[in-house]
Amino acid sequence: MTHDLTTGKPLRDIWQFAVPVLFGLLLQQVYSLVDTAIVGHALGVMALGGVGATGSVNFLVIGFCGGLCTGMAIPLAQAFGAGDYRQLRRYVAGCVWLGIAMSALLLALTLPTTRALLKLMGTPEEQMGYAYDYIFIIFIGIPATILYNMGACVLRSLGDSKSPVWFLAIASVINIVLDLLTVCVLGMGVAGAAIATVVSQLGSGVLCVWYMRKHFEVLRMEKDDWRLRKAEVLRLLGMGVPVGLQFSITAIGSVMLQSAVNSLGAVCVSGVAVASKIYMLLCCPFDALGSTMATYAGQNVGAKKMDRVNTGILTSSIIGSVYSVVILGVMFLWSRQISLLFVDASETVILDQARQMLLINMVFYIPLTLVNVVRFTVQGMGFSKFAILAGVCEMIGRSVVAFFLVPYFGYTAVCFASPVAWILADLFLVPAYLYCAKTLRSLFEKNAQMM
């Protein structure tokens, strides 16, 4: 079922759209959390650290896939908001062809270079085998990642944020069962955890495609819709590639930071791995608000309703700020207990490091709220290239900390790397949003005068 976000109360529209997206993101994190918990308890701290050491590399590539799909869905949302369903179908067809091409390209780039990249990052030798076995299989599953992300983004661009949640729920059950089977029963180690993730994500992607074909009349494709057109391809790439690159550029800073963490030893790598898994779960509300604002802004720009975009960005920022304060209090009390999901109570150093990183990061969650809300709003408004510059700001922040502060201040500096990155990104994004809003208002007023 489609959902028009250009009418009604913005708070209600944002809330109704964001909550299913949040549940979907939480279910995605179930993949990762179950993998980590089973690996940590069944295979030990070294295996846990090996899987954790792949996080930044994973984000570098898989983040690009997700960003590419998110960006390419923006023209779909704008076409839907404008009521141009023929153009919408042509964009969907372009997404299919580009998804196939990007899958082939990324496979060719990542699979031959995986081990070299892990070595370049200084992955501890005792964790190298675990890291390689895990991330190589994740990279093999890139087509499945693109299939799900593309399907989910198309559904969300039409206002349907609920259906992908159900498909992820099914995939999460598959993932848990396969994790237990491959790791605990068949003894396949970290490779088994990676296989479980890829298979479950493939299942959710297939379900998205099946549901779209069955239930969305506006997506009933005609033969002419499948023709590859230069205008649609350039528009999709112009929106998708900058967003994908923004994720990858941000991830480059994370790769550099991970290299600095690796230099501190295997125990620090494991501490960061535990904190990162919990952090990814806690940040789902920010990601949900960002995804919501991309669709919300896209539809309302298509309908030429900039006042609703302004109200939406304020509403989402308030929601994210309230959550930031609440979750800081919760984690101050129980962060150590939650970390016990991944390591035994005897690993006191790892538990202390995870708590330190989590609490320092959460003090700066309001700046993180703005990063997600403003960046995705700007993308939804059609200014995807600004996403690259925001990613550059984050990369610079993490890189400066990695190169200049970690050698002197050690693990404490690592904990401040992301907050520095978020603040730098905000210093760019807030003025960028004001510029984009002013530009669109002038364009809409000029078009109205010409009519």
Side-chain angles (χ1 to χ4, degrees):
M1 181 182 294
T2 59
H3 184 184
D4 188 350
L5 299 173
T6 64
T7 59
K9 295 181 179 180
L11 175 59
R12 183 193 63 193
D13 285 343
I14 290 170
W15 186 263
Q16 289 180 346
F17 191 94
V19 169
V21 174
L22 173 59
F23 280 116
L25 291 169
L26 290 172
L27 286 170
Q28 278 187 309
Q29 290 307 313
V30 168
Y31 291 176
S32 181
L33 291 174
V34 170
D35 285 348
T36 305
I38 292 176
V39 167
H41 287 289
L43 303 178
V45 172
M46 288 299 105
L48 172 67
V51 172
T54 68
S56 56
V57 180
N58 196 340
F59 184 39
L60 178 68
V61 178
I62 304 303
F64 175 81
C65 296
L68 178 75
C69 296
T70 298
M72 289 200 297
I74 291 171
L76 278 68
Q78 293 178 348
F80 179 76
D84 190 349
Y85 300 138
R86 172 170 288 185
Q87 187 63 63
L88 170 67
R89 289 191 293 271
R90 290 177 176 177
Y91 279 138
V92 171
C95 287
V96 172
W97 295 121
L98 289 174
I100 294 171
M102 285 295 178
S103 295
L105 177 62
L106 289 171
L107 286 172
L109 290 174
T110 57
L111 296 184
T113 60
T114 301
R115 187 177 293 276
L117 184 56
L118 291 172
K119 288 184 177 180
L120 183 64
M121 292 171 56
T123 304
E125 192 61 37
E126 60 268 38
Q127 296 173 333
M128 174 63 77
Y130 297 115
Y132 178 79
D133 290 347
Y134 184 82
I135 198 63
F136 187 82
I137 294 172
I138 294 295
F139 285 165
I140 290 175
I142 284 174
T145 300
I146 290 180
L147 176 66
Y148 169 72
N149 280 282
M150 192 69 74
C153 287
V154 170
L155 288 171
R156 289 170 187 153
S157 71
L158 304 180
D160 182 3
S161 59
K162 296 180 181 178
S163 299
V165 177
W166 293 108
F167 306 145
L168 272 176
I170 296 171
S172 296
V173 173
I174 295 173
N175 184 70
I176 292 171
V177 172
L178 289 178
D179 267 326
L180 295 171
L181 176 65
T182 57
V183 177
C184 299
V185 178
L186 299 179
M188 297 175 65
V190 295
I195 291 171
T197 297
V198 171
V199 171
S200 57
Q201 192 153 53
L202 177 61
S204 60
V206 170
L207 286 172
C208 281
V209 174
W210 167 80
Y211 186 79
M212 282 189 290
R213 288 173 58 87
K214 187 173 179 64
H215 293 283
F216 283 82
E217 289 291 334
V218 295
L219 296 181
R220 298 290 183 187
M221 311 291 284
E222 300 175 1
K223 184 177 180 180
D224 184 63
D225 294 329
W226 286 106
R227 185 162 60 88
L228 201 60
R229 294 173 174 84
K230 182 178 180 180
E232 278 81 8
V233 169
L234 292 179
R235 174 73 169 158
L236 290 168
L237 289 176
M239 287 296 210
V241 172
V243 181
L245 288 177
Q246 178 262 313
F247 278 90
S248 292
I249 290 171
T250 301
I252 290 173
S254 297
V255 169
M256 293 179 180
L257 182 63
Q258 184 66 52
S259 299
V261 173
N262 292 343
S263 69
L264 300 177
V267 173
C268 285
V269 172
S270 298
V272 171
V274 171
S276 296
K277 293 301 180 183
I278 300 172
Y279 160 83
M280 294 299 292
L281 180 66
L282 298 180
C283 286
C284 284
F286 305 126
D287 295 331
L289 288 171
S291 295
T292 298
M293 286 307 300
T295 300
Y296 179 90
Q299 287 194 14
N300 281 284
V301 167
K304 298 180 174 59
K305 296 183 177 181
M306 277 304 302
D307 287 340
R308 285 182 60 82
V309 177
N310 293 336
T311 303
I313 199 170
L314 176 62
T315 301
S316 295
S317 298
I318 292 173
I319 293 172
S321 297
V322 171
Y323 167 76
S324 300
V325 174
V326 172
I327 198 62
L328 174 60
V330 171
M331 294 303 292
F332 182 81
L333 296 174
W334 292 301
S335 59
R336 189 179 184 88
Q337 288 82 346
I338 294 175
S339 298
L340 290 173
L341 291 170
F342 307 104
V343 294
D344 295 330
S346 59
E347 302 289 350
T348 55
V349 175
I350 293 175
L351 291 170
D352 289 342
Q353 289 178 337
R355 175 179 170 80
Q356 179 184 357
M357 186 173 190
L358 285 168
L359 293 181
I360 289 174
N361 276 250
M362 282 187 288
V363 169
F364 295 90
Y365 268 8
I366 291 178
L368 176 59
T369 299
L370 290 177
V371 170
N372 281 271
V373 170
V374 179
R375 178 171 62 200
F376 279 95
T377 300
V378 169
Q379 292 168 8
M381 293 163 67
F383 294 84
S384 291
K385 293 180 177 61
F386 282 112
I388 296 180
L389 297 177
V392 169
C393 292
E394 290 196 67
M395 180 188 70
I396 290 172
R398 290 190 175 90
S399 299
V400 167
V401 172
F403 283 123
F404 299 107
L405 299 183
V406 172
Y408 295 99
F409 300 101
Y411 189 80
T412 300
V414 172
C415 297
F416 280 95
S418 288
V420 170
W422 301 332
I423 291 171
L424 284 179
D426 283 335
L427 290 174
F428 168 78
L429 281 167
V430 173
Y433 168 72
L434 296 175
Y435 165 80
C436 295
K438 181 179 179 180
T439 300
L440 286 178
R441 283 186 182 278
S442 298
L443 179 62
F444 294 159
E445 291 173 0
K446 182 178 179 181
N447 290 340
Q449 292 171 1
M450 294 175 61
M451 294 178 63

